[in-house]
Amino acid sequence: MDFFSEGQYDAVVIGAGHAGCEAALALARTGQKTAMLTLNLDSIAFMACNPSIGGTAKGHLVREIDALGGEMGVNADKALLQIRMLNRGKGVAVQSLRGQEDKNLYHRLMKQTLENTPNLRILQGEAAEILTNNGAVSGVKTTYGGILHAKAVVVATGVYLNGSVIAGEWKQSSGPSGFAPATRLTANLADLGFAIRRFKTGTPARIDGRTVDFSVLEIQEGEQVYPFSYLSRGVPKKQKPCYLTYTNERTHEIIRANLHRAPLYCGMIKGVGPRYCPSIEDKVVRFADKERHQLFLEPEGGDTDEVYVQGMSTSLPHEVQREMYRTIKGLEHCEIMRYAYAIEYDAIDSLALLPTLEYKNVKNLFTAGQINGTSGYEEAAAQGLIAGLNASLALRGKEQIALRRDEAYIGVLIDDLVTKGTNEPYRMMTSRAEHRIVLRQDNADFRLTELGRTCGLVSDKRWKVYQKRKKEYAAATAEMQTRKSPKEADELILKHGGTPLNGAVSYADLVRRNIPVAEIKETFGAFKGISDAVLETAETDAKYEGYLSRALEQIERAKKLEEKLLPDDIDYMKISGLRIEARQKLSKIRPLNLGQAGRISGVNPADIAVLMVYLKK
């Protein structure tokens, strides 16, 4: 084949899913001439599975992406059909936004954003090889013979690498939703030294909403909450409803009777599936004593009757799916528009990456998204933004960023991947974040926007919004110290079941007595000119002041270990006192500092003590 030049670029992004879009935008918006290579322009930012953004811990990721200057939150707000705050009955640290999206509109809006971004070229084609020279990236070769010369590459291939779709006895080489798979790049990644593994995910059927009896189902309306993006003015007043229904014993009987035809149990599926998003057949087997499983019927868009059956992912044969779905209340006469399937794909061992998402063995080669072993649009977008931003920083000769676990959920996500690795598709959860009281949704901009500005990604418009919020927050926290006499405050305290005061009390003290700040505002005419969103953050900080103080003390202690850097050339196998397992794990992962070393599975506190002595010597 004759090869030809597709042009000279600073960076090439392979893939245009949620990771690829954020990576390309981060590069182009920071002045890097960028090419984004995708198998199909129609798959840009495509929601191959659930038509939603956010969810438990995932809402945190979206707000952090937005705070750093990313696009997902902005786009999600524009395509909203419905939005709710999950975990309302729990503490504020684990409450998360979840938005139902118009999936086709989301795709069109993101494609439009990319097309209108300076420094960015979008190109349809398949990557065959990442070119290197002297241990550094030099470009990307396509299957049609084009060469895109570049000094950095971000690989964000999603579930397309050797994708294989399975339903019952039927199996086909394919990407998600009928898109073509990428069949050439895996071999090249293996040649570059990546360890390749096989993962699996799946999706439920889409049914015709005109054949559903919604009148017998439990309705779930949207809420008036704050939006994903700090740039958005609010959420739609009119929102589309979702509906709740359940499986039943008849559903489970059909599944059990056909387990011998389920690819997951008959051996057709070799890849490892996500533990926290199991198929319905897996749920029935694993939770045999459970009488029913919850299902949500979610609209796929504002201009279609397609309905997504959340909670009923399966790879059973099509005729079994038809029978199974029709046992559900409200779906007795449903017609399937798209059958459910499982998909297997190639991924890499994320332990081969630095905390910046750069590959340890090739300079300026970054990976992001499901290729790193994660699941979820939000996890992918977060990695894409960091990979693209770090590629840009490297090209500009600046120090790359590695977010800490106490700075962001993004830091937790990436640290877990590069320090602990994953043997199954990884998803973010609030339980993974030990500092979650600090890493709330409402304060994402206060934690990250200044960093995004320093890196050149936060626009003037976004910076202006941040500065206004910061000023309001300072005024709110100062006003929280306003004191009221017993005569002024007792009525409010008694109303909420408190005891009369002996002395003056501040607004912050009243908040800690579980008196809503909205009532304080109304009673005393306080907090004028301060938005509800900023006031919510000030209220939370006042209410949990003691917890926050202790958390910040823990963070400061942990930072001391993060500051103790480990030289690149340490030969761990020669350090006496380290256990054999610790030597092997440290040699493989090569942590950057003592903090990261201490989080490696198989490295215990005694090993860290040995390393501290070694560093002193």
Side-chain angles (χ1 to χ4, degrees), residues 95-158:
Q95 293 175 8
S96 303
L97 287 172
R98 185 181 190 272
Q100 205 62 44
E101 303 291 329
D102 185 321
K103 64 188 295 182
N104 290 325
L105 178 58
Y106 188 94
H107 150 74
R108 293 196 303 272
L109 289 169
M110 188 65 83
K111 185 171 183 283
Q112 187 178 58
T113 298
L114 293 162
E115 289 174 354
N116 292 327
T117 298
N119 303 316
L120 180 57
R121 177 193 178 191
I122 306 169
L123 176 64
Q124 183 167 296
E126 180 180 349
E129 184 181 349
I130 297 167
L131 304 174
T132 61
N133 185 26
N134 294 324
V137 162
S138 62
V140 174
K141 185 187 295 182
T142 67
T143 54
Y144 58 78
I147 295 178
L148 294 94
H149 303 278
K151 294 169 282 188
V153 168
V154 178
V155 183
T157 46

Side-chain angles (χ1 to χ4, degrees), residues 176-474:
S177 300
F179 288 112
T183 59
R184 295 283 297 277
L185 192 60
T186 295
N188 173 241
L189 292 173
D191 289 342
L192 291 173
F194 283 108
I196 307 296
R197 68 261 304 271
R198 195 81 170 153
F199 277 175
K200 166 254 175 191
T201 188
T203 190
R206 276 66 162 180
I207 58 178
D208 189 336
R210 296 169 298 179
T211 62
V212 176
D213 184 0
F214 291 107
S215 67
V216 300
L217 303 181
E218 182 181 331
I219 193 168
Q220 280 207 322
E221 301 284 4
E223 299 175 350
Q224 289 300 305
V225 294
Y226 54 74
F228 284 113
S229 176
Y230 292 98
L231 295 180
S232 301
R233 295 194 175 185
V235 301
K237 290 185 178 179
K238 187 177 180 181
Q239 301 180 21
K240 288 181 76 74
C242 294
Y243 295 86
L244 178 63
T245 187
Y246 299 88
T247 63
N248 53 59
E249 184 52 36
R250 179 60 186 144
T251 319
H252 301 176
E253 285 175 4
I254 293 171
I255 291 169
R256 286 192 289 264
N258 287 279
L259 284 177
H260 64 286
R261 301 183 67 191
L264 188 64
Y265 291 97
C266 70
M268 279 187 68
I269 289 178
K270 306 296 183 185
V272 181
R275 181 186 309 183
Y276 301 103
C277 188
S279 65
I280 190 64
E281 52 265 39
D282 202 18
K283 289 180 189 176
V284 169
V285 171
R286 285 166 55 185
F287 309 107
D289 59 339
K290 199 164 185 179
E291 295 181 357
R292 64 180 191 173
H293 294 279
Q294 198 174 53
L295 306 174
F296 292 94
L297 302 187
E298 303 172 344
E300 288 258 305
D303 59 353
T304 177
D305 289 309
E306 280 191 77
V307 174
Y308 179 90
V309 188
Q310 170 77 11
M312 209 161 179
S313 172
T314 184
S315 57
L316 284 164
H318 289 181
E319 67 271 23
V320 178
Q321 290 185 36
R322 180 183 173 88
E323 183 183 6
M324 177 178 69
Y325 277 90
R326 287 186 171 183
T327 64
I328 308 298
K329 182 179 180 179
L331 310 188
E332 292 88 350
H333 305 290
C334 76
E335 293 290 355
I336 293 176
M337 298 180 75
R338 305 180 200 237
Y339 283 97
Y341 60 85
I343 184 168
E344 289 187 309
Y345 56 96
D346 292 338
I348 65 161
D349 183 352
S350 56
L351 292 177
L353 305 175
L354 293 167
T356 58
L357 295 180
E358 184 177 14
Y359 181 37
K360 293 175 182 177
N361 295 346
V362 178
K363 185 179 179 183
N364 289 346
L365 175 57
F366 298 81
T367 61
Q370 285 180 281
I371 189 173
N372 288 345
T374 59
S375 65
Y377 311 144
E378 303 81 4
E379 288 90 341
Q383 294 171 71
L385 183 143
I386 296 300
L389 190 53
N390 276 328
S392 172
L393 289 167
L395 291 170
R396 287 181 278 155
K398 296 187 176 183
E399 184 179 356
Q400 296 181 40
I401 61 170
L403 293 174
R404 300 190 310 272
R405 298 180 72 89
D406 60 87
E407 288 181 303
Y409 269 82
I410 299 175
V412 175
L413 162 68
I414 294 175
D415 184 66
D416 280 352
L417 289 175
V418 305
T419 303
K420 302 174 183 177
T422 182
N423 293 319
E424 62 190 22
Y426 175 103
R427 68 147 293 178
M428 193 69 247
M429 295 180 292
T430 52
S431 59
R432 297 190 191 273
E434 60 270 36
H435 303 299
R436 54 187 170 274
I437 189 63
V438 177
L439 309 180
R440 304 188 312 273
Q441 284 184 131
D442 61 277
N443 65 9
D445 60 338
F446 296 144
R447 291 186 279 115
L448 297 170
T449 297
E450 290 184 17
L451 174 63
R453 183 71 170 180
T454 300
C455 294
L457 189 54
V458 168
S459 66
D460 290 343
K461 180 181 178 181
R462 188 181 292 274
W463 185 246
K464 186 177 179 180
V465 170
Y466 168 70
Q467 292 286 62
K468 183 176 182 292
R469 276 177 50 84
K470 188 178 178 183
K471 185 177 179 180
E472 283 184 26
Y473 176 77

Side-chain angles (χ1 to χ4, degrees), residues 21-22 25 29 65-66 69-76 78 106 109-110 113 385 462:
C21 288
E22 294 293 349
L25 288 170
R29 286 171 170 173
I65 291 165
D66 187 73
E71 192 66 22
M72 175 172 266
V74 174
N75 211 51
K78 291 177 181 177
Y106 188 94
L109 289 169
M110 188 65 83
T113 298
L385 183 143
R462 188 181 292 274

